[in-house]
């Protein structure tokens, strides 16, 4: 707009322009193209982010679903299996909450989680003391350590190559989260 006004004031006689209309129409055309382009880019980025966050949820849901399917069905292991399943769901709830907090642009980013009862209070305090961007990595590490422990104790009854799919799904979820960010 300033450039169009400058042309009108100083150069309209040199170019044979008696009015401001030609410059103004050129300016509005360029501005309109830029606004449409920018809005289109924003729209595409929004839907890409929305699709990626759904992929994060899907990958992590598949990982938990597989872990539940791989649990030992022996009656002797029932208590350990239930404890592992509860901790897995609690950690996954916390992981998803932290992931949403990283990408959400809200004043109040407190999302509900499944009650973390049974998780050590010192661990929860440590997690709360971390920067928001580091929490997902810590929770993911806790989850992986829990899976390793469960497999070693016989809570999970599956061949290690098949169990590695769970780790791949957890990994793809965190990669998609980084792509969203």
């Amino acid at each position: 707009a300033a450039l169009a006004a400058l042309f009108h004031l100083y150069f309209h006689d040199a170019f044979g322009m008696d009015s401001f209309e030609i410059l103004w129409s050129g300016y509005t055309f360029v501005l309109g193209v830029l606004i449409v382009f920018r809005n289109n880019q924003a729209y595409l980025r929004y839907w890409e982010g929305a699709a990626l966050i759904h992929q994060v949820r899907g990958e992590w849901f598949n990982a938990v679903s597989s872990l539940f399917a791989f649990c030992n069905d022996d009656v002797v292991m029932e208590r350990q299996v239930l404890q592992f399943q509860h901790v897995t769901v609690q950690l996954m709830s916390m992981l998803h909450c932290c992931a949403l907090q990283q990408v959400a642009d809200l004043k109040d980013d407190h999302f509900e989680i499944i009650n973390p009862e049974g998780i050590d209070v010192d661990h929860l305090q440590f997690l709360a003391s971390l920067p928001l961007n580091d929490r997902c990595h810590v929770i993911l590490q806790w989850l992986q350590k829990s899976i390793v422990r469960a497999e070693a104790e016989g809570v999970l009854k599956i061949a290690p190559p098949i169990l590695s799919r769970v780790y791949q799904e957890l990994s793809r979820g965190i990669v998609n989260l980084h792509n969203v960010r």
Side-chain angles (χ1 to χ4, degrees), residues 90-98 127 130 134-145:
Q90 291 167 338
L91 288 174
M92 193 54 75
S93 173
M94 290 169 41
L95 181 62
H96 195 255
C97 175
C98 288
L127 188 65
L130 291 174
D134 295 339
R135 292 179 188 171
C136 281
H137 298 289
V138 170
I139 296 170
L140 184 63
Q141 186 63 38
W142 291 348
L143 188 59
Q144 290 173 341
K145 189 173 181 176

Side-chain angles (χ1 to χ4, degrees), residues 76-168:
V76 176
M77 300 296 291
E78 186 175 357
R79 187 180 63 76
Q80 291 97 328
V81 167
L82 283 175
Q83 182 180 6
F84 170 73
Q85 289 175 341
H86 286 167
V87 169
T88 300
V89 168
Q90 291 167 338
L91 288 174
M92 193 54 75
S93 173
M94 290 169 41
L95 181 62
H96 195 255
C97 175
C98 288
L100 291 177
Q101 286 175 334
Q102 283 185 14
V103 298
D105 190 21
L106 302 171
K107 291 178 184 172
D108 180 21
D109 64 352
H110 292 88
F111 299 104
E112 290 186 28
I113 62 169
I114 294 175
N115 186 2
E117 184 178 313
I119 297 176
D120 187 34
V121 175
D122 292 334
H123 284 85
L124 294 175
Q125 289 173 346
F126 171 74
L127 188 65
S129 71
L130 291 174
L132 187 60
N133 292 339
D134 295 339
R135 292 179 188 171
C136 281
H137 298 289
V138 170
I139 296 170
L140 184 63
Q141 186 63 38
W142 291 348
L143 188 59
Q144 290 173 341
K145 189 173 181 176
S146 174
I147 294 168
V148 168
R149 189 178 305 121
E151 199 274 329
E153 294 172 355
V155 172
L156 294 174
K157 192 174 180 182
I158 197 71
I162 298 173
L163 183 60
S164 71
R165 293 178 188 169
V166 171
Y167 295 111
Q168 290 171 353

Side-chain angles (χ1 to χ4, degrees), residues 3 5-17 23:
L3 187 61
L6 189 72
F7 269 124
H8 177 68
L9 290 174
Y10 296 108
F11 300 112
H12 72 282
D13 292 332
F15 295 116
M17 292 185 244
L23 292 173

